[in-house]
Amino acid sequence: MNLKSLRIFIMVSAFVCINHFSFSQDCKAKDIVKKSKANITKPYKYDSYAVSEFTFTKEKQKVEVQFTAFQGQKYKIIFCSSGFEEQVTLNIYDKSNRVKNGRKKIFDNSQGIDNNFWSFVPPKSGNYYIEYELPPSSTGKDKKACVVMLIGFVDKGDKE
């Protein structure tokens, strides 16, 4: 495992460990990964996954998650949901929502296949900010859900 892959693994592992315990029974992340891993195709290699967990409530919400694409790596990110009826909007920006001016949208889930599967290839290295816009719960009751982000990359030595 090269140094960059090790950094990615440590970063994602810490994120997954922090979030895993709170929702592990409601979000079957390992099952989602198992079903979706085949979508990371050559020249990309599956590396890891991260889970964004949230609760649909009576209120609209926005949840932001940061992803870092390391220099010298080419990534393919696959987003898979735990299967919910609500129409979640997924946007990816070049800057955090705390930055008021100059924030540029790079991707939105209208470019995806359906409400449960999206694919994104970061155009360059750097930080990306994934923002989920959550509508109110379709049932009016709080409901836990998640989106699993599968990470694939191309090794520098591999040919695309």
Side-chain angles (χ1 to χ4, degrees), residues 22-33:
S22 62
F23 282 82
S24 60
Q25 292 183 356
D26 295 283
C27 175
K28 308 251 186 269
K30 288 184 180 180
D31 292 341
I32 294 169
V33 170

Side-chain angles (χ1 to χ4, degrees), residues 53-83:
E53 299 160 328
F54 38 82
T55 301
F56 288 104
T57 64
K58 294 177 184 177
E59 308 285 322
K60 279 203 282 189
Q61 305 171 67
K62 286 188 181 183
V63 177
E64 185 176 82
V65 178
Q66 181 179 338
F67 171 75
T68 301
F70 292 103
Q71 187 172 359
Q73 297 285 126
K74 184 173 180 182
Y75 297 90
K76 182 175 187 178
I77 310 300
I78 305 287
F79 297 92
C80 310
S81 82
S82 58

Side-chain angles (χ1 to χ4, degrees), residues 3 61 66 71 92 122 125 132 145:
L3 184 59
Q61 305 171 67
Q66 181 179 338
Q71 187 172 359
I92 300 177
S125 62
Y132 300 100

Side-chain angles (χ1 to χ4, degrees), residues 14-108:
F15 178 67
V16 170
C17 289
I18 290 167
N19 288 312
H20 179 72
F21 297 106
S22 62
F23 282 82
S24 60
Q25 292 183 356
D26 295 283
C27 175
K28 308 251 186 269
K30 288 184 180 180
D31 292 341
I32 294 169
V33 170
K34 194 182 290 186
K35 290 177 192 172
S36 305
K37 222 159 99 168
N39 291 297
I40 295 185
T41 56
K42 288 187 178 186
Y44 298 95
K45 294 178 183 177
Y46 171 75
D47 183 54
S48 55
Y49 70 93
V51 181
S52 295
E53 299 160 328
F54 38 82
T55 301
F56 288 104
T57 64
K58 294 177 184 177
E59 308 285 322
K60 279 203 282 189
Q61 305 171 67
K62 286 188 181 183
V63 177
E64 185 176 82
V65 178
Q66 181 179 338
F67 171 75
T68 301
F70 292 103
Q71 187 172 359
Q73 297 285 126
K74 184 173 180 182
Y75 297 90
K76 182 175 187 178
I77 310 300
I78 305 287
F79 297 92
C80 310
S81 82
S82 58
F84 37 78
E85 306 90 40
E86 290 81 2
Q87 293 295 310
V88 171
T89 302
L90 177 144
N91 295 303
I92 300 177
Y93 295 93
D94 63 343
K95 296 181 182 158
S96 171
N97 62 12
R98 288 177 252 135
V99 175
K100 298 300 176 201
N101 296 323
R103 185 176 188 204
K104 180 180 169 191
K105 186 190 298 186
I106 297 170
F107 175 87
D108 65 67

